[in-house]
Amino acid sequence: PHSPSPCILADSREISSGPEVISCLRAVHGLRVQICSLGTSDYMVSSRLAVDRLLQSELQSPGNRNKLSQRLQRLRSVFERICVIVETDRVRPGETSRLFQRTQYYDGVLSALVQAGIRILFSSCQEETAALLKDLALLEHRKDAAIQVPTEPEGHQRELLNFYLSIPSLSYGAALNLCHSFSSITAVANSSVPALAAGARLSRPQAEELHRFLHHDFDLQLLPQPLPKGKS
Amino acid sequence: PVTAGSIVVPYGHVIGNEKWRGSEVAQRLQGKVRLIFEDGLGLVDFHLPNRTCILLISEADLVAGDEFKRRLVRFRNASSLRGIVIVEKTQISDQYYSGVQKLAVLELGMVLLPVANQGEASQLIIQLVSSCVREQSRDRGSRPFLGKQRAPAAEPALLRAVQRIPGLGRAKALLLLRRFGSIHRLCNAALAELEPVVGQAVAQQIHAF
């Protein structure tokens, strides 16, 4: 079943941190927004494009450097394309708008993002962020990369999805595509790299990594000792 | 008028369009980077090392109309170099920003960075140049978003994955992985091979999954 309008996946944390983004996407732009625990990124607007929403103040404070860097590295290991939307901080009621003091550190972060090939958009508020997400989704839709599989699997499909989601380096979108394109895990496990790339809509290196994982020979010695508990 | 420019810019240098000589942005760049002026750069305002071009759009350009849009499109069509558009986003030009962003970033695939004035533009250019230098120096610590995380061992992830199969806890997942090795071989195991490891009921569950 192909969806008429593009679908956007939103991370469940965004319900509290970006409620107006989500309601705008639905009410103003009429998009399907599926809330799920994406974990790595705030939004997925297509099978390959992850979008992270960052507040300008987060890019301003050197204290965030490590957190930001780890987050973006993780995104880069899972997604082919990354975009960050830098959103102006909201002025709280009773607070006068603080002047944005541009620092050398901030310019350094922007330069590093440019250098890393991460696309950057600037937004002045949550409503504008929603409009940008819609534009990105439509653009990816035109490029035939839109998320067009059912985003709410049930029953056995749900269990399969949970299995695929536990595979490192696989995004939520790729896991959904695996559920949709292959009849079983065995079918996935017996697929060639090109078949995995086509079925899960992965890039060649990503498909190679998945293939390696499925064929990886388990070595008990490489399991961290002592064994971590309850991490299923 | 368009120099798609195979200009080689040495590291730490910036080649500026003659028209910026004596401007605030040029004055502030001087002393921080080696700025050389050249005629005939066409659409480009500054050439940075690493095949990067800066196109500077002033507040006045934005307010004046669509000329700057033609300039961006012409640059994009003529050049394979990376184009970074720096735009003066002020109270007056703010209303035009989202239109410029749509064109430059979404349609043309260029980089667009807003600044408040020429002073901020020069600060940003200095950072862009030094990030080119760092890129060249191959110092991992200074390339915060490019460094690849060291791939962790696949074993813990394999164990987690197998435990997602209904009916399997940690102990049985371990037994299965030790017996069959990979997910590929586990998937292709016959019921009769699974049964001695986890018992009949669980073996059937795995097989059905």
mmCIF file of all heavy atoms in Angstrom, chain A residues 102-125:
data_model
loop_
_atom_site.group_PDB
_atom_site.id
_atom_site.type_symbol
_atom_site.label_atom_id
_atom_site.label_comp_id
_atom_site.label_asym_id
_atom_site.label_seq_id
_atom_site.Cartn_x
_atom_site.Cartn_y
_atom_site.Cartn_z
ATOM 1 N N ARG A 102 27.427 35.959 18.988
ATOM 2 C CA ARG A 102 28.101 34.975 18.142
ATOM 3 C C ARG A 102 29.536 34.777 18.622
ATOM 4 O O ARG A 102 30.276 35.734 18.794
ATOM 5 C CB ARG A 102 28.099 35.482 16.712
ATOM 6 C CG ARG A 102 28.386 34.403 15.699
ATOM 7 C CD ARG A 102 28.381 35.013 14.309
ATOM 8 N NE ARG A 102 28.600 33.996 13.312
ATOM 9 C CZ ARG A 102 27.640 33.520 12.526
ATOM 10 N NH1 ARG A 102 26.417 33.983 12.626
ATOM 11 N NH2 ARG A 102 27.908 32.605 11.625
ATOM 12 N N THR A 103 29.921 33.548 18.856
ATOM 13 C CA THR A 103 31.267 33.284 19.354
ATOM 14 C C THR A 103 32.108 32.573 18.292
ATOM 15 O O THR A 103 31.576 32.009 17.344
ATOM 16 C CB THR A 103 31.232 32.375 20.595
ATOM 17 O OG1 THR A 103 30.580 31.159 20.222
ATOM 18 C CG2 THR A 103 30.489 33.020 21.736
ATOM 19 N N GLN A 104 33.398 32.606 18.526
ATOM 20 C CA GLN A 104 34.329 31.899 17.650
ATOM 21 C C GLN A 104 34.037 30.401 17.690
ATOM 22 O O GLN A 104 34.120 29.714 16.686
ATOM 23 C CB GLN A 104 35.741 32.178 18.145
ATOM 24 C CG GLN A 104 36.816 31.810 17.164
ATOM 25 C CD GLN A 104 38.188 32.100 17.746
ATOM 26 O OE1 GLN A 104 38.368 33.057 18.488
ATOM 27 N NE2 GLN A 104 39.146 31.266 17.427
ATOM 28 N N TYR A 105 33.651 29.934 18.887
ATOM 29 C CA TYR A 105 33.333 28.514 19.036
ATOM 30 C C TYR A 105 32.166 28.123 18.130
ATOM 31 O O TYR A 105 32.205 27.101 17.449
ATOM 32 C CB TYR A 105 33.008 28.197 20.498
ATOM 33 C CG TYR A 105 32.498 26.786 20.678
ATOM 34 C CD1 TYR A 105 33.385 25.712 20.673
ATOM 35 C CD2 TYR A 105 31.137 26.523 20.803
ATOM 36 C CE1 TYR A 105 32.923 24.422 20.781
ATOM 37 C CE2 TYR A 105 30.666 25.229 20.917
ATOM 38 C CZ TYR A 105 31.561 24.182 20.908
ATOM 39 O OH TYR A 105 31.102 22.900 21.003
ATOM 40 N N TYR A 106 31.124 28.966 18.129
ATOM 41 C CA TYR A 106 29.940 28.713 17.306
ATOM 42 C C TYR A 106 30.321 28.626 15.826
ATOM 43 O O TYR A 106 29.904 27.700 15.117
ATOM 44 C CB TYR A 106 28.931 29.846 17.546
ATOM 45 C CG TYR A 106 27.679 29.800 16.717
ATOM 46 C CD1 TYR A 106 26.635 28.943 17.046
ATOM 47 C CD2 TYR A 106 27.514 30.645 15.615
ATOM 48 C CE1 TYR A 106 25.464 28.920 16.298
ATOM 49 C CE2 TYR A 106 26.354 30.636 14.866
ATOM 50 C CZ TYR A 106 25.338 29.770 15.200
ATOM 51 O OH TYR A 106 24.180 29.752 14.462
ATOM 52 N N ASP A 107 31.135 29.576 15.348
ATOM 53 C CA ASP A 107 31.589 29.544 13.959
ATOM 54 C C ASP A 107 32.406 28.289 13.676
ATOM 55 O O ASP A 107 32.331 27.720 12.594
ATOM 56 C CB ASP A 107 32.443 30.784 13.649
ATOM 57 C CG ASP A 107 31.582 32.034 13.465
ATOM 58 O OD1 ASP A 107 30.395 31.884 13.131
ATOM 59 O OD2 ASP A 107 32.097 33.146 13.670
ATOM 60 N N GLY A 108 33.173 27.860 14.690
ATOM 61 C CA GLY A 108 33.973 26.651 14.531
ATOM 62 C C GLY A 108 33.097 25.421 14.356
ATOM 63 O O GLY A 108 33.370 24.553 13.528
ATOM 64 N N VAL A 109 32.007 25.360 15.138
ATOM 65 C CA VAL A 109 31.077 24.225 15.023
ATOM 66 C C VAL A 109 30.428 24.220 13.644
ATOM 67 O O VAL A 109 30.359 23.182 12.971
ATOM 68 C CB VAL A 109 29.990 24.275 16.121
ATOM 69 C CG1 VAL A 109 28.937 23.205 15.886
ATOM 70 C CG2 VAL A 109 30.622 24.081 17.488
ATOM 71 N N LEU A 110 29.972 25.396 13.197
ATOM 72 C CA LEU A 110 29.359 25.471 11.860
ATOM 73 C C LEU A 110 30.347 25.011 10.790
ATOM 74 O O LEU A 110 29.992 24.242 9.896
ATOM 75 C CB LEU A 110 28.903 26.905 11.555
ATOM 76 C CG LEU A 110 27.695 27.443 12.325
ATOM 77 C CD1 LEU A 110 27.338 28.839 11.821
ATOM 78 C CD2 LEU A 110 26.494 26.520 12.187
ATOM 79 N N SER A 111 31.588 25.469 10.890
ATOM 80 C CA SER A 111 32.599 25.077 9.898
ATOM 81 C C SER A 111 32.808 23.574 9.899
ATOM 82 O O SER A 111 32.940 22.953 8.839
ATOM 83 C CB SER A 111 33.944 25.748 10.191
ATOM 84 O OG SER A 111 33.796 27.134 10.271
ATOM 85 N N ALA A 112 32.829 22.994 11.096
ATOM 86 C CA ALA A 112 33.033 21.541 11.186
ATOM 87 C C ALA A 112 31.855 20.790 10.566
ATOM 88 O O ALA A 112 32.046 19.767 9.907
ATOM 89 C CB ALA A 112 33.215 21.126 12.644
ATOM 90 N N LEU A 113 30.638 21.307 10.762
ATOM 91 C CA LEU A 113 29.460 20.675 10.160
ATOM 92 C C LEU A 113 29.553 20.742 8.635
ATOM 93 O O LEU A 113 29.289 19.760 7.941
ATOM 94 C CB LEU A 113 28.173 21.367 10.623
ATOM 95 C CG LEU A 113 27.764 21.169 12.083
ATOM 96 C CD1 LEU A 113 26.595 22.080 12.444
ATOM 97 C CD2 LEU A 113 27.392 19.721 12.353
ATOM 98 N N VAL A 114 29.931 21.921 8.123
ATOM 99 C CA VAL A 114 30.085 22.088 6.675
ATOM 100 C C VAL A 114 31.126 21.104 6.148
ATOM 101 O O VAL A 114 30.918 20.405 5.171
ATOM 102 C CB VAL A 114 30.511 23.539 6.337
ATOM 103 C CG1 VAL A 114 30.897 23.661 4.867
ATOM 104 C CG2 VAL A 114 29.387 24.512 6.669
ATOM 105 N N GLN A 115 32.239 21.047 6.863
ATOM 106 C CA GLN A 115 33.343 20.177 6.463
ATOM 107 C C GLN A 115 32.925 18.707 6.435
ATOM 108 O O GLN A 115 33.366 17.937 5.597
ATOM 109 C CB GLN A 115 34.488 20.363 7.478
ATOM 110 C CG GLN A 115 35.839 19.948 7.008
ATOM 111 C CD GLN A 115 36.345 20.824 5.881
ATOM 112 O OE1 GLN A 115 36.356 20.402 4.736
ATOM 113 N NE2 GLN A 115 36.761 22.031 6.194
ATOM 114 N N ALA A 116 32.025 18.345 7.364
ATOM 115 C CA ALA A 116 31.584 16.950 7.446
ATOM 116 C C ALA A 116 30.483 16.641 6.438
ATOM 117 O O ALA A 116 29.970 15.528 6.399
ATOM 118 C CB ALA A 116 31.102 16.646 8.864
ATOM 119 N N GLY A 117 30.098 17.640 5.639
ATOM 120 C CA GLY A 117 29.069 17.404 4.632
ATOM 121 C C GLY A 117 27.666 17.289 5.205
ATOM 122 O O GLY A 117 26.774 16.717 4.575
ATOM 123 N N ILE A 118 27.476 17.810 6.409
ATOM 124 C CA ILE A 118 26.148 17.786 7.019
ATOM 125 C C ILE A 118 25.387 19.029 6.563
ATOM 126 O O ILE A 118 25.908 20.138 6.621
ATOM 127 C CB ILE A 118 26.264 17.751 8.557
ATOM 128 C CG1 ILE A 118 26.924 16.439 8.977
ATOM 129 C CG2 ILE A 118 24.901 17.923 9.219
ATOM 130 C CD1 ILE A 118 27.275 16.361 10.453
ATOM 131 N N ARG A 119 24.175 18.820 6.080
ATOM 132 C CA ARG A 119 23.399 19.947 5.581
ATOM 133 C C ARG A 119 22.844 20.754 6.760
ATOM 134 O O ARG A 119 22.408 20.181 7.755
ATOM 135 C CB ARG A 119 22.249 19.401 4.738
ATOM 136 C CG ARG A 119 21.654 20.421 3.806
ATOM 137 C CD ARG A 119 20.417 19.863 3.178
ATOM 138 N NE ARG A 119 20.695 18.906 2.112
ATOM 139 C CZ ARG A 119 19.754 18.564 1.214
ATOM 140 N NH1 ARG A 119 18.559 19.070 1.278
ATOM 141 N NH2 ARG A 119 20.037 17.696 0.281
ATOM 142 N N ILE A 120 22.889 22.079 6.652
ATOM 143 C CA ILE A 120 22.441 22.920 7.762
ATOM 144 C C ILE A 120 21.318 23.835 7.307
ATOM 145 O O ILE A 120 21.427 24.504 6.281
ATOM 146 C CB ILE A 120 23.584 23.826 8.289
ATOM 147 C CG1 ILE A 120 24.878 23.035 8.439
ATOM 148 C CG2 ILE A 120 23.196 24.453 9.619
ATOM 149 C CD1 ILE A 120 26.086 23.920 8.671
ATOM 150 N N LEU A 121 20.236 23.853 8.091
ATOM 151 C CA LEU A 121 19.149 24.804 7.840
ATOM 152 C C LEU A 121 18.948 25.619 9.102
ATOM 153 O O LEU A 121 19.177 25.138 10.210
ATOM 154 C CB LEU A 121 17.857 24.062 7.479
ATOM 155 C CG LEU A 121 17.848 23.313 6.140
ATOM 156 C CD1 LEU A 121 16.643 22.389 6.057
ATOM 157 C CD2 LEU A 121 17.842 24.293 4.974
ATOM 158 N N PHE A 122 18.495 26.857 8.940
ATOM 159 C CA PHE A 122 18.256 27.711 10.102
ATOM 160 C C PHE A 122 16.775 28.016 10.204
ATOM 161 O O PHE A 122 16.104 28.266 9.205
ATOM 162 C CB PHE A 122 19.060 29.010 9.987
ATOM 163 C CG PHE A 122 20.533 28.783 10.110
ATOM 164 C CD1 PHE A 122 21.292 28.442 8.998
ATOM 165 C CD2 PHE A 122 21.166 28.871 11.342
ATOM 166 C CE1 PHE A 122 22.655 28.203 9.104
ATOM 167 C CE2 PHE A 122 22.531 28.637 11.466
ATOM 168 C CZ PHE A 122 23.278 28.302 10.344
ATOM 169 N N SER A 123 16.283 27.953 11.440
ATOM 170 C CA SER A 123 14.860 28.180 11.672
ATOM 171 C C SER A 123 14.700 29.133 12.851
ATOM 172 O O SER A 123 15.485 29.108 13.796
ATOM 173 C CB SER A 123 14.192 26.838 11.985
ATOM 174 O OG SER A 123 13.023 27.024 12.729
ATOM 175 N N SER A 124 13.666 29.966 12.789
ATOM 176 C CA SER A 124 13.492 30.934 13.872
ATOM 177 C C SER A 124 12.512 30.430 14.933
ATOM 178 O O SER A 124 12.405 31.006 16.000
ATOM 179 C CB SER A 124 13.010 32.266 13.304
ATOM 180 O OG SER A 124 11.791 32.063 12.627
ATOM 181 N N CYS A 125 11.774 29.347 14.646
ATOM 182 C CA CYS A 125 10.812 28.829 15.632
ATOM 183 C C CYS A 125 10.369 27.426 15.234
ATOM 184 O O CYS A 125 10.711 26.940 14.163
ATOM 185 C CB CYS A 125 9.607 29.754 15.718
ATOM 186 S SG CYS A 125 8.778 29.946 14.130
#
